[in-house]
Amino acid sequence: MLTVEKAADLAAHAGQLLGRSDWVSIDQQMIDAFANLTGDRHWIHVDTTRAEQEMPEGRTIAHGLLLLSLIPNLQHEIYAVTRRGAGLNYGYDRVRFVSPVLVDSRVRLAMTLIGVQAHAQGTRLLTEATIEIEGRDKPALVANNILLLKD
C-alpha cells in the first residue's frame, strides 16, 4: 500500500499505477442484496434458473453499478493519506462497462493516478479505476474517478 502524508504528496506518483486491491468474490448473495437495495431485479442478475437456460455462459451477472460501487472501499487497500480531512467523491467520468462479471467470479481494483490539482477546499485527485476480472484479459469496467480530499 502506498502511504503519503498529504494528498498533494501523491503528485509525485502522477501517471503511475498506484497498485491493486485484493480479490473480491462476487457471489449471488451480493448480487441479490444489491438488487434488493436498488430495485434492479432484472432476471439476468437474480434469476439463476432462467440465466442457466438463456445466458451465454448459463450464469447470472453482476450489476455494472454494483462493480462501480466497490471502488471507494477497494481504493483503501491501494493508497492512504495520513493527514487529511473529509474525502468527497466528486464524480466519475467516462464510465465504461467493458465485460460482464459472472456470478462467483473474483474482481479487484487497479488504480492509476492521472493527476493531482490544488482546489479551494483541498486537493483534487483524478484516477483511472479499472475493475479487473480474475482469469480474463478484458476488465469489467474502467472509469475516471474524481476525489476531493480536504486538508
Side-chain angles (χ1 to χ4, degrees):
M1 174 188 296
L2 172 64
T3 303
V4 296
E5 186 177 348
K6 298 178 292 185
D9 297 339
L10 286 168
H13 302 279
Q16 298 176 17
L17 177 69
L18 297 178
R20 289 182 167 83
S21 70
D22 291 335
W23 292 104
V24 174
S25 293
I26 307 297
D27 60 19
Q28 193 62 49
Q29 182 178 356
M30 179 187 287
I31 294 170
D32 289 345
F34 189 84
N36 290 333
L37 179 67
T38 62
D40 182 354
R41 298 196 48 78
H42 191 281
W43 70 266
I44 63 174
H45 304 301
V46 298
D47 189 336
T48 57
T49 303
R50 186 170 177 185
E52 189 175 317
Q53 297 167 1
E54 297 184 40
M55 291 297 285
E57 297 197 44
R59 294 164 41 198
T60 58
I61 60 172
H63 305 74
L65 294 177
L66 183 160
L67 301 169
L68 189 67
S69 73
L70 295 176
I71 293 171
N73 186 49
L74 294 177
Q75 76 185 17
H76 294 298
E77 297 179 17
I78 296 173
Y79 73 91
V81 178
T82 58
R83 285 188 43 216
R84 59 167 262 201
L88 302 173
N89 191 341
Y90 208 72
Y92 291 91
D93 287 333
R94 298 181 40 155
V95 177
R96 291 155 333 269
F97 300 105
V98 180
S99 297
V101 174
L102 301 170
V103 67
D104 297 325
S105 295
R106 293 189 338 150
V107 299
R108 68 179 175 189
L109 174 63
M111 184 163 276
T112 299
L113 182 62
I114 297 171
V116 177
Q117 299 173 325
H119 186 277
Q121 297 180 7
T123 303
R124 189 172 149 184
L125 306 177
L126 178 61
T127 60
E128 181 181 79
T130 303
I131 298 289
E132 301 174 337
I133 309 167
E134 186 176 41
R136 303 260 175 142
D137 292 333
K138 291 173 97 176
L141 81 86
V142 179
N144 290 343
N145 181 219
I146 307 162
L147 183 64
L148 177 61
L149 296 181
K150 294 188 177 192
D151 295 332

